[in-house]
């Protein structure tokens, strides 16, 4: 029995599988992750400072002009095999909840709905008055040099993503509950280096990892599958459906 078979057996025996994904599940859609050597976004340290609430409020011109091309790249990408398999597993009742750190909406576009986007998403932008607009409406305003982009009430709009310096959204509290309820947490494409999401694997009764490179949690995992998420999840799906 190889490690893929071992994970297939764990998934067949589990009653409540929860999945946690990171940027590594979207690299096969052409998006950079954050920490892979050379390709990772954080090679450019200034991005962390840029994608912060501090910059958004104190220097909206720099925030929107610098981040817009990156945010638009994220909205143009398409789901890949990994996103599609995970959506199929939810449809079949195999995966109960999908927690993602990604803001690219690719799980949503692939059809996942039991979805907790704990770092936010790029479908909407909001105002302190409670109004919600589409992210494309915000982009159109910025393109017309309306910076900061403004709500009909006059206040500034902001993308519904968690920036450095923001509190975690309510969905993170739900994510903790789901991990505690799970009997198997499957982590796909995350270096597990960013708190508080990085604490979730410690709350799981059993955990398995699918990742291209070693992670800090490999030692606690029952199974670690080293490789690309699209290929591995497709292979797992084949073996699960072969029975
Ligand atoms: N298949 C499997 N794993 C992959 C693939 C792939 N095709 N491509 C990359 N990976 C792995 C990388 O080896 C890396 O370990 O995915 C992991 C991605 O880790 P990070 O780049 O750190 O991304 P992530 O864990 O999602 O970062 C968490 O950090 O900056 C914040 O808010 C940002 O949500 C992000 C958070």
């Amino acid at each position: 029995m190889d490690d893929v078979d071992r994970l297939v057996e764990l998934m067949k025996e589990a009653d409540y599988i929860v999945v946690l994904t990171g940027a590594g599940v979207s690299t096969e859609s052409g998006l950079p992750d954050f920490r892979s050597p050379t390709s990772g976004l954080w090679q450019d340290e200034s991005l962390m400072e840029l994608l912060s609430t501090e910059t958004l409020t104190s220097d909206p011109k720099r925030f929107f002009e610098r981040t817009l091309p990156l945010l638009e790249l994220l909205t143009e990408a398409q789901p890949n095999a990994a996103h599609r398999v995970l959506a199929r597993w939810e449809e079949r009742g195999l995966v109960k909840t999908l927690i993602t750190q990604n803001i690219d909406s690719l799980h949503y576009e692939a059809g996942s709905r039991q979805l907790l986007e704990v770092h936010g998403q790029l479908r909407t932008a909001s105002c302190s008055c409670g109004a919600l607009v589409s992210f494309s409406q915000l982009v159109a305003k910025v393109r017309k040099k309306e910076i900061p982009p403004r709500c009909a009430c006059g206040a500034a709009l902001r993308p519904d993503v968690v920036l450095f310096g923001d509190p975690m959204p309510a969905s993170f509290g739900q994510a903790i509950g789901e991990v505690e309820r799970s009997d198997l947490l499957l982590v796909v494409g995350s270096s597990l280096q960013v708190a508080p999401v990085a604490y979730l694997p410690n709350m799981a009764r059993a955990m398995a990892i699918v990742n291209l490179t070693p992670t800090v949690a490999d030692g606690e995992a029952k199974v670690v599958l080293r490789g690309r998420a699209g290929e591995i999840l497709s292979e797992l799906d084949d073996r699960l459906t072969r029975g």
Side-chain angles (χ1 to χ4, degrees), residues 195-206:
V197 171
Y199 302 139
L200 290 177
N202 306 332
M203 304 175 191
R205 262 180 281 166

Side-chain angles (χ1 to χ4, degrees), residues 3-236:
D3 280 344
V4 177
D5 280 332
R6 286 181 58 227
L7 181 48
V8 166
E9 286 315 305
L10 281 177
M11 291 178 73
K12 282 181 177 172
E13 288 155 13
D15 295 319
Y16 205 94
I17 299 175
V18 171
V19 176
L20 166 65
T21 65
V25 83
S26 296
T27 55
E28 293 164 65
S29 295
L31 295 181
D33 64 13
F34 292 91
R35 292 174 186 82
S36 281
T38 68
S39 67
L41 284 172
W42 293 152
Q43 307 313 314
D44 168 3
E45 276 304 305
S46 67
L47 259 180
M48 271 195 185
E49 182 269 332
L50 182 68
L51 288 172
S52 66
T53 322
E54 169 59 29
T55 305
L56 172 67
T57 45
S58 64
D59 191 351
K61 188 170 183 314
R62 188 161 75 87
F63 177 88
F64 282 106
E65 285 179 353
R66 280 285 311 278
T67 60
L68 208 60
L70 171 66
L71 297 178
E72 283 184 314
L73 175 77
L74 291 174
T75 54
E76 283 152 16
Q78 296 300 314
N80 64 55
H83 300 105
R84 289 193 293 273
V85 167
L86 290 169
R88 265 205 306 279
W89 286 355
E90 172 189 308
E91 214 177 316
R92 293 212 301 258
L94 182 67
V95 165
K96 302 301 182 197
T97 299
L98 172 50
I99 302 161
T100 189
Q101 302 169 86
N102 303 339
I103 61 173
D104 56 31
S105 287
L106 293 181
H107 286 303
Y108 185 86
E109 286 172 30
S112 293
R113 288 299 177 270
Q114 300 307 314
L115 183 59
L116 296 173
E117 295 169 305
V118 295
H119 284 171
Q121 43 72 28
L122 283 176
R123 296 184 297 279
T124 60
S126 51
C127 175
S128 50
C129 77
L132 212 56
V133 301
S134 71
F135 184 69
S136 46
Q137 280 174 287
L138 176 137
V139 169
K141 288 172 178 285
V142 174
R143 279 228 187 92
K144 284 188 304 199
K145 303 295 180 204
E146 181 183 324
I147 295 179
R150 294 208 175 274
C151 172
C153 80
L157 289 163
R158 58 157 291 169
D160 287 334
V161 293
V162 178
L163 299 170
F164 286 98
D166 279 337
M168 288 299 279
S171 58
F172 182 67
Q174 292 171 271
I176 292 173
E178 286 300 293
V179 171
E180 289 174 336
R181 185 173 172 189
S182 72
D183 53 2
L184 179 63
L185 175 69
L186 175 59
V187 183
V188 184
S190 178
S191 65
L192 294 172
Q193 289 182 42
V194 175
V197 171
Y199 302 139
L200 290 177
N202 306 332
M203 304 175 191
R205 262 180 281 166
M207 193 254 297
I209 292 175
V210 174
N211 208 60
L212 198 56
T213 58
T215 78
V216 293
D218 285 3
E220 285 76 50
K222 288 200 176 297
V223 180
V224 175
L225 299 182
R226 184 73 62 233
R228 296 163 67 81
E231 289 153 27
I232 292 176
L233 293 191
S234 301
E235 179 58 26
L236 283 166

